[in-house]
Amino acid sequence: MSRVLVIDDSPMLVELTVRALTAAGYQASGAQDLASLDQKLSEGPFALILMDVNMPEMFGDDVVEYLRRQKKVTAKLVLYSDISEAELAGKTKASGADGYILKSGGLEAVLGGVMGLIGAPALGVPAAVPPPPVTAAAPAPAPAPAAAAGLKPAPTTGGRKPRILIVDDSEMTARIIEADLVAKGFEVHVADTADKATKIILKKQTRPDLVLLDVRMPNVNGEQFCRFIKSNSLFKGIKVLLCSGENVEELQRICREAGADGYIPKDAVMGNLVAKELMPTGNE
């Protein structure tokens, strides 16, 4: 039996969609946030994952990248929304999703789209026309690396505090930097694994303006994680500064090859450099 997962922040819509798919012969279940999504993924593979685009905690097109790269999911990934078809098609192509379904088409469109992508769950069930084919967008070119002190300041957006994500396996180091940055007026989040960092980046409420990334950690390949951020056009507004005890030549090499925006040696006064990096242009 083909397994289908429905991701939507609306409990009613999840229930209705799951019921419709179950009645059609699929083994369907639902998730409403990242926590329940992870739980469902741990229960076994899915043939298709249907996800709403606009949710309070996350964007469905961001989740596509998370599932493909971080979770190594091989299921068909389908975006589902009531936005215009042109916009939905664009998001589908940009994220690399396998297709899209318009909410305006109702449950019939969901059933038809699912059948078109993974086939009917049982003999005798008519197949429907699949959603328009899409292709994955080419990764956005990485920006040229530069020394941290030479980067242009990143202005605040929407009147909120500039947001920084510290990715470091040393809790002491991370907390020292965090305390310094919070005192300077920044909103700071901390992660010690790539999975935790990715979830922070995916959520609208915690998506950072800048990631301060340790290069050498037991739980995180800093170079690989930097490439993940920089090759994803959805995260093009996020700057990445490498933070390491490596020599300057090695940091410059990693910056160049991983596409980071700059670097900060760990023996530097990190708080002051990051604060300058995110200072609004008008305050220089």
Side-chain angles (χ1 to χ4, degrees), residues 6 39 44 71 73 86 108 114 117 127 148 153 184 208 224 227 252 255 263 279:
V6 179
Q39 180 182 348
K71 292 299 183 179
V73 168
E108 293 81 4
V114 170
L117 282 169
K184 289 179 170 63
Q224 184 178 16
R227 290 190 185 96
Q252 289 175 339
C255 262
Y263 61 86
M279 191 73 69

Side-chain angles (χ1 to χ4, degrees), residues 70-257:
Q70 296 296 315
K71 292 299 183 179
K72 308 301 181 184
V73 168
T74 58
K76 296 288 186 181
L77 302 180
V78 181
L79 298 182
Y80 184 46
S81 181
D82 53 9
I83 61 178
S84 70
E85 183 169 5
E87 184 180 0
L88 184 55
K91 287 181 178 293
T92 300
K93 183 175 182 179
S95 66
D98 296 287
Y100 66 86
I101 298 174
L102 292 167
K103 283 188 176 181
S104 58
L107 294 176
E108 293 81 4
V110 173
L111 293 175
V114 170
M115 288 179 186
L117 282 169
I118 63 174
L123 294 176
V125 179
V129 177
V134 295
T135 55
L151 294 172
K152 295 181 180 179
T156 57
T157 57
R160 64 168 174 79
K161 295 179 180 179
R163 191 177 292 145
I164 300 174
L165 170 61
I166 301 171
V167 185
D168 198 308
D169 65 313
S170 169
E171 182 177 0
M172 180 179 294
T173 299
R175 294 306 175 190
I176 291 173
I177 300 172
E178 177 187 21
D180 186 30
L181 293 173
V182 168
K184 289 179 170 63
F186 296 98
E187 178 184 332
V188 182
H189 297 270
V190 177
D192 60 359
T193 67
D195 194 48
K196 291 178 183 177
T198 301
K199 289 178 181 178
I200 290 172
I201 292 173
L202 284 173
K203 291 183 180 179
K204 299 178 188 178
Q205 298 92 333
T206 55
R207 177 168 296 173
D209 301 295
L210 182 144
V211 176
L212 186 59
L213 178 63
D214 189 8
V215 176
R216 305 299 180 203
M217 293 178 282
N219 299 324
V220 183
N221 183 319
E223 293 184 54
Q224 184 178 16
F225 190 66
C226 180
R227 290 190 185 96
F228 163 67
I229 296 174
K230 286 301 183 180
S231 66
N232 187 341
S233 61
L234 296 168
F235 304 145
K236 62 183 179 181
I238 300 177
K239 290 187 176 182
V240 178
L241 295 183
L242 304 180
C243 177
S244 177
E246 299 283 347
N247 60 53
V248 172
E249 290 75 14
E250 179 65 6
L251 287 177
Q252 289 175 339
R253 179 195 67 77
I254 297 172
C255 262
R256 184 170 59 251
E257 295 181 3

